């Protein structure tokens, strides 16, 4: 063996995993937890019930189970994240996807070219392993990368947002091409494409916790986001659409976020559960 | 007849696998606080499932639970392994130049290990640091020995590429 590798092996022999507590301390803590029976499965949305953990595991399981589909040229079955839930999906190339609330995804890997094709309907954060082309297709556009971290929100062609957290992202929106560098985003809302804006990784990560920030956007845009995220159609009074909204909203609980936004914007709302409709009135 | 597993079974399981699971989670995350935290969760889950667990599949199950819990954690930070290097601790009588060179090499190796792809890294470290045999690793991950060998070769190749030309 080469002397450099001998040195690697020798150094490795001296390595130990650091520890903050001994095994006995860990056992004591565990016993205490069992007695208190305070266990809660950790998920990205801790407030939700234990099904989330199971569903996440199931999503990953399906991702692995359908490995065989790559050679047939077919897409994987659709993986879905329920309302206000986040599913973690590991793609066969090691890329990670965090699928946000009320979103669906399917994928296909070309075994000859290594090209990875994703079809997204909704919101997701991608952490892409280096490799062949990685394409995210959605209604109204495409994102093309090789290995990077980025966020796509595309519930509909009317409201698309792409934020690049790391690396370089090529975005195609309505036939026009845009290149986004690190910490830059672009938005297309109802046919109008914004100028690239600055975005931080923490802001994007917070979206997976259901926290969204707006800076002087129309109420219509906020309504649209709430509607897509929770799966409702929203019908506001026309006069409300002229109002602007700035601020932070937590969109994990429908009633709670409707209460906050309606109080802040001096509105009333009614929900029709049967038709999945929310109506807003100025007060 | 259904065997009900009690505290003794659970304590033995904990004693036998605590370090393996904690280390595995450290190799995945590079964050010892998170690794220890998730190890608690793995064993809490095991406690909850204990009566449904088949002892023969216990080991792979623990690794699977650990990995699933890890994948469900909040967005992870960039992996940065920081092993305790006992060689450095043992070499205090060596010359400052030697110690400096050793520390520099140690730093480069930890960076190189952190940069290995996930599966390759975890398999390599379980073998080299936890002394797990290829067969054991294959059993834990539910893969073939061939697959383990492949990941080991990949790890060695990547390390060789980094160190052969930079010594």
């Amino acid at each position: 063996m080469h002397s450099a590798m001998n040195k690697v092996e020798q150094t490795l022999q001296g390595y130990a995993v650091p520890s903050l507590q001994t095994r006995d301390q860990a056992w004591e803590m565990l016993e205490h937890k069992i007695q208190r029976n305070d266990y809660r499965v950790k998920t990205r949305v801790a407030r939700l019930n234990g099904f989330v953990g199971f569903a996440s595991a199931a999503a990953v399981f399906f991702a692995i189970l359908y490995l065989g589909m790559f050679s047939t040229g077919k897409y994987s079955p659709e993986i879905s994240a329920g309302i206000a839930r986040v599913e973690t999906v590991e793609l066969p190339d090691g890329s990670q996807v965090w699928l946000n609330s009320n979103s669906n995804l399917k994928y296909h890997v070309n075994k000859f070219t290594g090209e990875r094709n994703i079809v997204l309907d909704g919101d997701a954060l991608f952490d892409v392993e280096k490799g062949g082309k990685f394409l995210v297709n959605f209604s109204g556009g495409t994102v093309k990368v090789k290995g990077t971290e980025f966020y796509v929100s595309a519930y509909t062609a009317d409201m698309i947002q792409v934020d690049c957290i790391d690396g370089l992202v090529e975005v195609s929106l309505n036939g026009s091409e845009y290149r986004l560098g690190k910490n830059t985003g672009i938005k297309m809302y109802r046919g109008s494409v914004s100028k690239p804006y600055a975005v931080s990784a923490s802001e994007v990560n917070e979206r997976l916790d259901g926290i969204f920030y707006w800076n002087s956007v129309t109420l219509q845009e906020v309504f649209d986001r709430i509607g897509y995220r929770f799966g409702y159609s929203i019908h506001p009074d026309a006069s409300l659409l002229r109002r602007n909204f700035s601020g932070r909203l937590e969109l994990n609980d429908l009633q709670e976020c409707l209460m906050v936004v309606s109080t802040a914007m001096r509105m009333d709302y009614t929900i029709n559960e049967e038709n999945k409709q929310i109506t807003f009135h100025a007060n | 007849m259904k065997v009900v597993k009690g505290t003794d079974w659970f304590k033995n399981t904990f004693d036998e696998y605590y370090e393996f699971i904690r280390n595995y989670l450290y190799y995945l995350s590079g964050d010892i606080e998170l690794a220890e935290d998730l190890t608690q969760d793995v064993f809490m889950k095991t406690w909850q499932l204990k009566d449904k667990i088949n002892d023969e599949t216990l080991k792979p199950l623990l690794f699977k639970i650990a990995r699933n819990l890890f994948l469900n954690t909040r967005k992870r930070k960039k992996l940065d392994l920081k092993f305790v290097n006992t060689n450095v601790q043992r070499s205090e009588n060596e010359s400052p130049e030697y110690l400096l060179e050793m520390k520099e090499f140690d730093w480069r190796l930890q960076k190189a290990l952190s940069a290995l792809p996930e599966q390759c890294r975890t398999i390599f470290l379980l073998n080299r640091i936890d002394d797990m045999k290829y067969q054991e690793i294959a059993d834990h991950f539910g893969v073939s020995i061939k697959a383990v060998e492949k990941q080991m070769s990949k790890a060695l190749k990547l390390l060789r590429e980094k160190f052969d030309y930079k010594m």
Side-chain angles (χ1 to χ4, degrees):
Chain A
M1 192 188 288
H2 194 280
S3 64
M5 286 309 284
N6 272 335
K7 201 168 172 185
V8 166
E9 295 289 357
Q10 242 174 33
T11 310
L12 276 167
Q13 279 173 23
Y15 277 0
V17 172
S19 62
L20 300 174
Q21 58 185 3
T22 63
R23 189 173 63 201
D24 288 345
Q25 287 168 333
W27 171 253
E28 208 174 298
M29 189 189 277
L30 188 60
E31 262 190 319
H32 193 62
K33 278 188 189 170
I34 290 172
Q35 279 160 10
R36 285 204 331 257
N37 196 24
D38 67 348
Y39 178 65
R40 205 165 50 131
V41 174
K42 272 189 189 161
T43 67
R44 292 193 61 85
V45 258
R47 75 189 63 212
L48 299 172
N49 61 36
F51 175 75
V52 178
F54 169 77
S56 301
V60 174
F61 172 70
F62 278 123
I64 294 162
L65 184 68
Y66 283 89
L67 270 172
M69 304 216 93
F70 312 135
S71 55
T72 65
K74 287 181 188 167
Y75 274 92
S76 70
E78 205 156 68
I79 298 166
S80 301
I83 304 288
R85 287 177 178 159
V86 176
E87 300 298 349
T88 309
V89 184
E90 188 183 36
L91 302 182
D93 64 337
S95 298
Q96 302 267 342
V97 186
W98 288 267
L99 196 57
N100 213 344
S101 172
N102 198 22
S103 302
N104 306 299
L105 168 150
K106 59 184 179 177
Y107 58 86
H108 167 251
V109 179
N110 185 314
K111 68 172 182 167
F112 297 110
T113 62
E115 184 172 303
R116 299 156 289 178
N117 265 285
I118 313 292
V119 177
L120 173 70
D121 172 18
D123 243 29
L125 174 67
F126 295 86
D127 191 352
V128 178
E129 283 290 318
K130 284 200 167 64
K133 239 186 261 171
F134 189 99
L135 288 164
V136 181
N137 303 289
F138 46 84
S139 172
T142 317
V143 170
K144 185 165 75 179
V145 300
K146 283 206 164 170
T148 185
E149 196 176 343
F150 62 98
Y151 181 88
V152 179
S153 179
Y155 286 104
T156 160
D158 273 348
M159 191 169 82
I160 295 168
Q161 186 170 4
V162 180
D163 294 319
C164 175
I165 317 250
D166 203 4
L168 190 70
V169 169
E170 289 176 29
V171 189
S172 167
L173 293 175
N174 263 358
S176 300
E177 306 289 325
Y178 305 88
R179 297 186 96 190
L180 300 178
K182 187 176 173 178
N183 293 333
T184 319
I186 197 164
K187 201 160 72 169
M188 184 170 79
Y189 184 63
R190 296 187 179 240
S192 160
V193 180
S194 74
K195 284 184 184 162
Y197 53 83
V199 65
S200 69
S202 60
E203 184 184 333
V204 172
N205 283 327
E206 277 197 284
R207 291 184 205 146
L208 296 182
D209 290 327
I211 296 165
F212 291 79
Y213 293 87
W214 283 280
N215 185 14
S216 195
V217 297
T218 61
L219 254 185
Q220 174 81 67
E221 191 174 332
V222 178
F223 290 150
D224 283 348
R225 167 67 61 183
I226 294 172
Y228 294 128
R229 191 166 164 84
F230 290 101
Y232 283 76
S233 65
I234 300 203
H235 304 272
D237 284 353
S239 63
L240 293 173
L241 302 179
R242 290 192 295 273
R243 293 188 189 174
N244 273 6
F245 179 86
S246 293
R248 171 191 184 274
L249 274 183
E250 189 173 333
L251 307 183
N252 284 318
D253 181 285
L254 180 64
Q255 293 282 0
E256 193 183 299
C257 85
L258 291 180
M259 200 183 69
V260 171
V261 77
S262 60
T263 308
M265 301 303 291
R266 298 180 310 283
M267 306 178 292
D268 290 324
Y269 66 88
T270 49
I271 304 180
N272 183 332
E273 281 297 346
E274 202 179 325
N275 301 324
K276 292 274 172 198
Q277 282 183 352
I278 300 168
T279 315
F280 281 98
H281 311 282
N283 65 13
Chain B
M1 191 179 76
K2 192 182 171 189
V3 180
V4 177
K5 298 184 178 84
T7 319
D8 286 350
W9 174 88
F10 186 59
K11 178 74 167 83
N12 291 338
T13 302
F14 180 84
D15 285 344
E16 195 171 348
Y17 297 112
Y18 174 76
E19 269 90 10
F20 283 131
I21 296 301
R22 185 202 58 180
N23 290 4
Y24 173 57
L25 283 162
Y26 182 67
Y27 305 151
L28 282 171
S29 66
D31 179 341
I32 191 58
E33 201 176 337
L34 178 68
E36 289 189 348
D37 201 16
L38 289 179
T39 306
Q40 291 273 322
D41 291 350
V42 171
F43 285 101
M44 283 300 297
K45 193 88 190 146
T46 309
W47 171 256
Q48 290 175 330
L49 295 171
K50 66 186 188 322
D51 293 327
K52 294 176 188 160
I53 291 175
N54 176 351
D55 280 347
E56 284 175 14
T57 55
L58 172 64
K59 291 184 216 169
L61 180 73
L62 291 174
F63 277 82
K64 196 172 277 181
I65 294 173
R67 185 168 156 72
N68 282 340
L69 286 174
F70 169 71
L71 289 175
N72 283 320
T73 51
R74 301 176 68 81
K75 186 81 183 81
R76 275 107 52 190
K77 58 186 183 186
K78 199 170 173 65
L79 188 97
D80 188 13
L81 291 167
K82 286 194 176 95
F83 289 108
V84 176
N85 187 345
T86 56
N87 290 333
V88 174
Q89 289 169 347
R90 276 198 297 266
S91 308
E92 281 177 354
N93 295 330
E94 301 284 352
S95 70
E97 292 79 14
Y98 179 84
L99 276 175
L100 199 66
E101 192 197 323
M102 190 190 252
K103 280 185 181 167
E104 159 74 13
F105 187 85
D106 173 43
W107 181 82
R108 278 177 50 207
L109 179 57
Q110 304 228 23
K111 290 275 166 223
L113 292 169
S114 302
L116 291 175
E118 183 192 298
Q119 205 184 3
C120 175
R121 180 179 68 247
T122 49
I123 287 178
F124 181 74
L125 293 173
L126 285 170
N127 173 260
R128 287 300 199 269
I129 295 183
D130 298 278
D131 292 327
M132 270 197 193
K133 304 277 176 278
Y134 288 6
Q135 182 67 63
E136 275 181 281
I137 297 173
D139 291 346
H140 289 169
F141 289 111
V143 296
S144 65
I145 289 199
K146 201 88 194 145
V148 174
E149 284 170 354
K150 210 171 145 190
Q151 292 299 334
M152 290 296 294
S153 307
K154 189 174 167 187
L156 286 167
K157 182 173 170 277
L158 290 169
L159 290 174
R160 204 171 289 125
E161 279 169 11
K162 286 218 163 133
F163 287 92
D164 267 4
Y165 306 106
K166 290 181 188 168
M167 283 295 288

